[in-house]
Amino acid sequence: MKRVNAFNDLKRIGDDKVTAIGMGTWGIGGRETPDYSRDKESIEAIRYGLELGMNLIDTAEFYGAGHAEEIVGEAIKEFEREDIFIVSKVWPTHFGYEEAKKAARASAKRLGTYIDLYLLHWPVDDFKKIEETLHALEDLVDEGVIRYIGVSNFNLELLQRSQEVMRKYEIVANQVKYSVKDRWPETTGLLDYMKREGIALMAYTPLEKGTLARNECLAKIGEKYGKTAAQVALNYLIWEENVVAIPKASNKEHLKENFGAMGWRLSEEDREMARRCV
């Protein structure tokens, strides 16, 4: 089995250390339905990312109706499991005590392994459902199906409320849309609160579907560091001590570029300039 020599630009989720940039799998293996046409390419891309030293993989039962999890499960077979940190999510239609436990076990089966961090994928209006689901996840930790509990797309008020109903374990992560263009976690107080509480912020769509990678102003900043616009946009996020970015792991070229966003930091002046680029 291969070892994943995690890159030394690491962030903390719970008691674990993960690379500041991980691999997102939305669209890999299909979107809302399975697509098997690019499985080989997707598996090779994830393995390449692991070989580079990225140890964080983000997936969900909703991605490709579970097929993304199957791809991840296949990709990690060549590697030591304890070197990898896998994140998956329960879709709101499976919220509730029994349904959430069933969904988590199904995800673990598709992955062929336990889940390091399991998230509530989206909030729902019925907070009782959220509470029941969180309590189910606590029991899943005790059963060894998952290791940590988190949420996704929760605003500050809902995150605080969710923390209050936890009985045995803490919420260790909140995955939200966050980029240098969409800085709502900064402006709403969510980011500062999560810093104080030691909660990791996992930033999805960090490149705004590729538009930031083509931003000439960000590219100009990158010239000072020998970096691309995409690398500047990603570095803007991981500059924060508790932020992990999860751009899509679509191909080897993009993975290599994403990897190069780690191991250095923008100056405060250039970080402020990056804000003005978008």
Side-chain angles (χ1 to χ4, degrees):
M1 301 289 281
K2 299 178 183 178
R3 299 303 301 264
V4 179
N5 296 314
F7 191 73
N8 61 9
D9 198 340
L10 302 175
K11 302 296 183 79
R12 187 171 294 278
I13 296 181
D15 293 325
D16 286 40
K17 290 183 178 180
V18 303
T19 42
I21 294 176
M23 295 180 277
T25 63
W26 165 242
I28 289 178
R31 294 183 177 269
E32 297 180 22
T33 57
D35 178 359
Y36 303 94
S37 64
R38 300 181 67 183
D39 283 11
K40 183 179 179 181
E41 179 183 349
S42 298
I43 290 167
E44 289 178 352
I46 292 171
R47 287 176 178 167
Y48 179 72
L50 292 171
E51 288 166 356
L52 284 174
M54 297 179 183
N55 69 347
L56 172 63
I57 304 173
D58 176 82
T59 190
E61 67 168 353
F62 182 73
Y63 300 169
H67 187 47
E69 292 175 322
E70 294 172 339
I71 288 173
V72 171
E74 184 63 30
I76 66 172
K77 284 181 178 179
E78 296 182 356
F79 297 86
E80 295 288 348
R81 175 63 181 90
E82 61 268 24
D83 293 343
I84 303 169
F85 193 93
I86 298 175
V87 183
S88 194
K89 314 175 195 71
V90 56
W91 193 246
T93 53
H94 292 150
F95 281 12
Y97 186 81
E98 293 297 339
E99 280 293 308
K101 292 182 77 171
K102 182 179 178 182
R105 293 189 185 106
S107 286
K109 183 177 181 180
R110 286 189 290 268
L111 289 162
T113 184
Y114 59 88
I115 301 164
D116 291 289
L117 172 62
Y118 199 50
L119 311 177
L120 279 66
H121 204 147
W122 283 92
V124 293
D125 293 334
D126 183 358
F127 186 75
K128 186 65 177 176
K129 278 283 188 183
I130 291 175
E131 183 177 1
E132 290 175 1
T133 305
L134 290 170
H135 291 169
L137 269 54
E138 289 187 300
D139 289 345
L140 287 166
V141 173
D142 290 337
E143 295 172 17
V145 179
I146 68 175
R147 296 179 59 233
Y148 296 112
I149 298 166
V151 295
S152 184
N153 299 298
F154 278 37
N155 62 24
L156 176 55
E157 179 183 0
L158 190 54
L159 177 58
Q160 290 174 317
R161 191 177 178 190
S162 298
Q163 282 183 303
E164 291 170 358
V165 301
M166 300 298 285
R167 302 174 301 184
K168 296 181 285 186
Y169 301 105
E170 297 179 348
I171 293 171
V172 303
N174 183 18
Q175 185 177 127
V176 298
K177 185 176 184 296
Y178 180 32
S179 72
V180 64
K181 182 178 181 179
D182 186 358
R183 301 191 300 274
W184 76 270
E186 299 175 16
T187 59
T188 60
L190 178 66
L191 178 59
D192 286 340
Y193 173 79
M194 291 175 63
K195 280 185 193 176
R196 293 194 302 271
E197 295 296 316
I199 301 171
L201 189 155
M202 300 182 68
Y204 72 81
T205 320
L207 297 176
E208 294 290 341
K209 300 181 179 179
T211 60
L212 295 180
R214 300 185 293 272
N215 185 289
E216 293 183 4
C217 179
L218 293 176
K220 189 69 175 177
I221 295 173
E223 289 176 4
K224 295 172 60 176
Y225 301 86
K227 300 295 180 179
T228 66
Q231 290 169 333
V232 170
L234 292 172
N235 196 266
Y236 175 91
L237 299 174
I238 65 172
W239 195 94
E240 299 287 355
E241 64 187 48
N242 67 321
V243 174
V244 174
I246 46 170
K248 183 178 174 182
S250 55
N251 58 59
K252 292 180 179 181
E253 181 181 346
H254 287 158
L255 281 165
K256 188 174 182 179
E257 185 175 20
N258 296 344
F259 183 81
M262 294 188 284
W264 60 283
R265 290 294 183 270
L266 291 163
S267 68
E268 290 189 20
E269 179 183 7
D270 287 334
R271 194 164 185 265
E272 177 58 37
M273 187 179 298
R275 293 189 181 99
R276 298 197 293 268
C277 284
V278 295

